[in-house]
Amino acid sequence: MSEGPEGVRDRATVRLGVPTLTAMVVGSMVGAGVFSLPATFAAETGVLGAIIAWAIAGVGMLMLALAFQTLAVRRPQLDAGVYAYAKAGFGELIGFFSAFGYWASACVGNVTYWVLIMSTLGAVFPVLGDGDTPLAFALSSAGLWVFFLLVRRGVREAAAVNRIVTVAKLVPIVVAVLLSLFVLDPAVFAENLLGAGDAGTLFEQVQGTMLVTVFVFLGVEGASVYSRHARRRQDVGRATVLGFLAVFSVFASVTIVSYGVLPAAELAELRQPSLAGVLEAAVGGWGAVLVSAGLIVAVLGAYLAWTLMAAEVVFVAAKDHDMPRFLARSNARDVPVGALLSSTVLAQAVLVVAMTAVDAFDFALNLTSALALVPFLFAAGYLVRVAVADGGGIRRRDLVIGVLATAYVLFLLVGAGLTYLLVSLIVQVPAVALFLVARREQGRRLLSRSEWVVLLVATAGAVVGIAGLAGGWIIL
């Protein structure tokens, strides 16, 4: 095959239809998060707060899903979703920050999967602890590289495996919901309406769940990220909305029915994956085994989907000259091997850091959410610009969706607080070196005046984050 000017082979791109793209969305969203929902929500709020939180998250994430659907139609030439939209709307450096932030979010999120798998197995093999022991670290590291070799075999093969696994992992979750609903105790459910006595105000309770809802909904943009592989551009939007609606119903059901099985205080103290504890209380030990087996299948499937998506974003950014050209290499099976290898190396580095955190799972979960919020913000903001700037006057529907999606992400950023946003800047600012290498490879000026301003603001945030870690007021 012929080589392009950057050493990238010219070959036909693998094409995927609505079912496979929808499975990419569902597969990336249904992972570690859904199995941790009962304890995570019960620690923050009761039934009423959970319903309000899911209503806010559902509307907000639906707006984001519709934003990705609309942009897929309005700007069909833009591939890789969040990165491409940020770059088109706000410039190359912002596009780079979105690409790297999204990539880092995916890699950090992948670490939560291995931590949770090891924590689940730790219930049977105590030497694995809560997924943070030396043996758990060694096994998680081995898993990272086994999946690297699997995905390297081909995009079509990996996507087909993801489609099968997506169906397989939904079965135990749906069974768990139905069984919990069957044994639901109305008295326990009523006692849990307002949560534990020290849960705080209703607003504080809802605010405490926001990063969790972000984490479990990450992946709603999955079809958009993989848009260059879509058979038709309309398929991207359809897959996004179908995947979101399916997953939202599952997440909300898992959370609400759990309040009818155990008191909120007991739910909050359950070992992760807490859904296993809920089903054990409902039907006995075999219920915990069912959920634990389902978790491992679900997590491995989500890991596969996110590995594909993480590599895809970096690959397209490198093809657009916003990342070094070595990340634009792909093999004969249309796998971006340079980006895939870099994703695995980054995940390995994050795994090392997570092992030193007070709570490895919570650390990775919150950092994943914080890293993803800024790319989401720029994607939603770009739809606002498109709605206003397109010829023929303002598109009111698009503007409403864009404004609501933007407002939702801003609400999440405020609710999350500064801690993880500052920590995410510590990760992102040094990565600008990759952007500068890409500029040098093209013989271009390293940064424009406006880009210097953006970098200086980001650097100031990173410095504050480092000071917080050193001073002890930021604790991972």
Side-chain angles (χ1 to χ4, degrees):
M1 295 182 182
S2 62
E3 298 274 345
E6 299 182 11
V8 181
R9 292 180 180 178
D10 181 20
R11 58 179 64 80
T13 300
V14 173
R15 296 298 176 188
L16 307 174
V18 171
T20 301
L21 289 170
T22 303
M24 188 69 71
V25 175
V26 175
S28 57
M29 282 198 283
V30 180
V34 63
F35 294 90
S36 67
L37 287 175
T40 305
F41 261 76
E44 299 290 346
T45 188
V47 176
L48 183 58
I51 291 173
I52 295 173
W54 281 120
I56 294 172
V59 173
M61 279 297 176
L62 177 60
M63 292 302 104
L64 273 174
L66 292 175
F68 286 116
Q69 178 192 45
T70 303
L71 287 170
V73 175
R74 300 280 183 255
R75 294 293 185 269
Q77 74 278 14
L78 297 179
D79 290 324
V82 288
Y83 151 71
Y85 300 147
K87 178 180 178 179
F90 304 97
E92 293 179 358
L93 182 59
I94 294 296
F96 169 82
F97 274 125
S98 287
F100 185 85
Y102 187 84
W103 177 49
S105 172
C107 294
V108 174
N110 280 347
V111 170
T112 67
Y113 297 148
W114 291 112
V115 171
L116 196 56
I117 286 176
M118 295 303 151
S119 176
T120 301
L121 294 175
V124 180
F125 306 103
V127 69
L128 296 175
D130 290 326
D132 54 1
T133 65
L135 180 59
F137 171 77
L139 292 176
S140 297
S141 298
L144 287 173
W145 293 100
V146 167
F147 269 77
F148 165 76
L149 296 174
L150 172 63
V151 176
R152 194 174 184 273
R153 293 178 60 85
V155 169
R156 190 186 302 277
E157 291 80 0
V161 171
N162 178 68
R163 188 170 63 237
I164 295 170
V165 171
T166 296
V167 175
K169 68 187 178 182
L170 286 176
V171 172
I173 298 173
V174 173
V175 169
V177 170
L178 293 176
L179 289 175
S180 298
L181 188 60
F182 181 75
V183 301
L184 187 145
D185 186 335
V188 173
F189 190 81
E191 290 176 3
N192 287 335
L193 280 177
L194 299 179
D198 58 350
T201 67
L202 187 59
F203 176 79
E204 290 171 339
Q205 293 179 37
V206 172
Q207 185 183 39
T209 67
M210 286 296 98
L211 272 184
V212 178
T213 58
V214 174
F215 178 75
V216 296
F217 276 129
L218 290 179
V220 68
E221 72 291 343
S224 177
V225 169
Y226 238 60
S227 57
R228 76 183 178 96
H229 292 277
R231 288 202 182 104
R232 296 174 299 176
R233 185 60 54 164
Q234 306 95 294
D235 293 347
V236 174
R238 291 170 184 164
T240 299
V241 175
L242 286 174
F244 165 78
L245 293 175
V247 170
F248 173 73
S249 61
V250 171
F251 289 167
S253 298
V254 165
T255 305
I256 301 303
V257 299
S258 298
Y259 284 108
V261 179
L262 289 170
E266 293 184 32
L267 282 174
E269 294 299 321
L270 288 175
R271 175 194 179 98
Q272 295 292 10
S274 54
L275 183 58
V278 170
L279 204 58
E280 183 175 18
V283 298
W286 70 267
V289 173
L290 173 67
V291 171
S292 297
L295 177 140
I296 293 174
V297 173
V299 166
L300 292 177
Y303 182 87
L304 177 59
W306 274 105
T307 299
L308 289 167
M309 289 162 58
E312 184 69 14
V313 169
V314 177
F315 172 74
V316 175
K319 294 278 284 183
D320 286 350
H321 311 294
D322 292 322
M323 292 274 193
R325 62 168 63 104
F326 77 88
L327 294 170
R329 291 188 297 110
S330 59
N331 64 17
R333 293 177 176 268
D334 198 29
V335 176
V337 288
L340 178 62
L341 177 60
S342 299
S343 300
T344 307
V345 170
L346 179 58
Q348 180 70 76
V350 173
L351 183 62
V352 172
V353 175
M355 291 299 109
T356 67
V358 175
D359 187 316
F361 181 78
D362 283 347
F363 163 78
L365 184 153
N366 290 328
L367 184 56
T368 298
S369 301
L371 284 166
L373 285 176
V374 173
F376 281 175
L377 178 64
F378 288 123
Y382 179 54
L383 178 58
V384 175
R385 296 193 62 173
V386 168
V388 173
D390 268 4
I394 296 176
R395 296 179 181 269
R396 293 182 181 177
R397 174 188 175 276
D398 297 356
L399 183 61
V400 170
I401 291 172
V403 168
L404 290 177
T406 302
Y408 174 62
V409 179
L410 286 173
F411 169 74
L412 293 174
L413 283 169
V414 172
L418 285 177
T419 297
Y420 282 93
L421 183 59
L422 294 176
V423 173
S424 70
L425 289 174
I426 297 173
V427 176
Q428 287 184 292
V429 169
V432 174
L434 295 173
F435 183 76
L436 299 179
V437 168
R439 283 281 177 90
R440 185 174 291 278
E441 286 176 348
Q442 302 165 61
R444 294 177 58 189
R445 179 182 178 185
L446 293 183
L447 291 171
S448 67
R449 184 174 300 176
S450 60
E451 288 172 339
W452 273 114
V453 173
V454 172
L455 180 57
L456 288 174
V457 171
T459 302
V463 170
V464 173
I466 293 172
L469 291 173
W473 54 272
I474 291 181
I475 301 175
L476 300 181

